[in-house]
Amino acid sequence: MPIVREIVRRWLPMAAAITVLCLLIYAAVQQSHRSGADDPQIQLAEDAVRALESGVTAASVLPSAKVEIERGLAPFVIVYDGQGQAIAGSGTLRGHLPAPPQGVFGFVRTNGEERVTWQPERGVRIASVVRRLTAPSAGFVLAGRSLREVEAREANLRRMCALALVAALGGSLLVAALAERLLGKRT
C-alpha cells in the first residue's frame, strides 16, 4: 500500500486547489447572476420615487402590465404609504398587493433603501428594491420581480461546477497515479 499512500500524498494538494478554484468560480458567477437580478428593480424604484416626489399620482408610476407574482416574470412596482399600507401596485399575490418582510420599512425609513430577497409564499421568491419617499408625502416604493429564472441558472451553474469538480478531481488523481508510477520506476 505504500504506492497508494504516495499517490494520495501527490494528489491531495491538487485536489484541494481544484476544489477551492471550483468553489471560487461558482461563488463569483452565482453572485454575478444574483446581483444582476436587481438591476431592473433599481431603475424602476428610482424612477418611481423621482416621479412621485415631483407630484404625480401613484397609479401613474406603475407598469401598465399587471403581474401575478406567483406566476409571472415581469417586474412590478408597489407604492406604500408611510405606515406601510399598499396604495397602488402592478404586482399581486393571489389577488392582493403583498408587503415585504417585517422590518424592511423600518430599515428603509432609516437608511433610504433596501435590496431584499423575500419569499411571500412557498415557491415564490422575489428580488426587490425598496426606496423611501420623502415628498410630498412619506411612503415607500417597492420594485420587484421573480427570481425563478435566476435560480434556474444558479441550479445549472451548480450542476456544471459539480461535474467540472468531479472531472478535474478524477483527472488529477489519474495524473498523480501516472506520475507516481513513472517516478516510482526511476527511483
Side-chain angles (χ1 to χ4, degrees):
M1 283 299 173
I3 192 165
V4 172
R5 193 172 307 129
E6 281 303 307
I7 290 170
V8 170
R9 187 184 65 74
R10 288 182 191 278
W11 178 67
L12 279 178
M14 287 189 286
I18 289 167
T19 301
V20 167
L21 186 60
C22 283
L23 289 172
L24 286 173
I25 290 169
Y26 171 78
V29 176
Q30 185 274 339
Q31 283 300 298
S32 177
H33 283 326
R34 180 55 192 89
S35 64
D38 286 337
D39 291 346
Q41 296 86 280
I42 294 166
Q43 177 195 350
L44 284 168
E46 286 182 8
D47 292 349
V49 165
R50 195 171 14 266
L52 288 165
E53 288 179 347
S54 74
V56 302
T57 65
S60 68
V61 300
L62 303 179
S64 58
K66 299 293 182 190
V67 179
E68 295 174 348
I69 65 174
E70 66 272 18
R71 290 193 288 244
L73 293 173
F76 59 90
V77 173
I78 303 173
V79 180
Y80 301 89
D81 65 17
Q83 285 70 48
Q85 299 300 311
I87 299 170
S90 62
T92 59
L93 178 65
R94 310 274 177 233
H96 297 74
L97 295 172
Q102 197 74 358
V104 170
F105 291 137
F107 182 87
V108 175
R109 194 174 281 115
T110 303
N111 297 288
E113 180 182 286
E114 172 69 313
R115 296 174 188 183
V116 63
T117 298
W118 52 295
Q119 184 169 330
E121 70 177 32
R122 187 177 177 158
V124 179
R125 288 182 34 86
I126 303 298
S128 63
V129 175
V130 183
R131 302 263 327 234
R132 179 183 65 218
L133 280 167
T134 55
S137 62
F140 308 93
V141 171
L142 178 145
R145 74 175 178 154
S146 172
L147 282 171
R148 187 176 72 212
E149 286 300 309
V150 171
E151 290 175 339
R153 286 187 195 105
E154 289 174 351
N156 190 42
L157 173 66
R158 272 191 302 277
R159 283 189 296 275
M160 290 186 327
C161 285
L163 287 172
L165 177 62
V166 168
L169 288 174
S172 65
L173 182 58
L174 183 60
V175 167
L178 289 173
E180 180 56 34
R181 182 170 171 97
L182 292 173
L183 293 173
K185 284 184 178 181
R186 287 194 337 194
T187 57

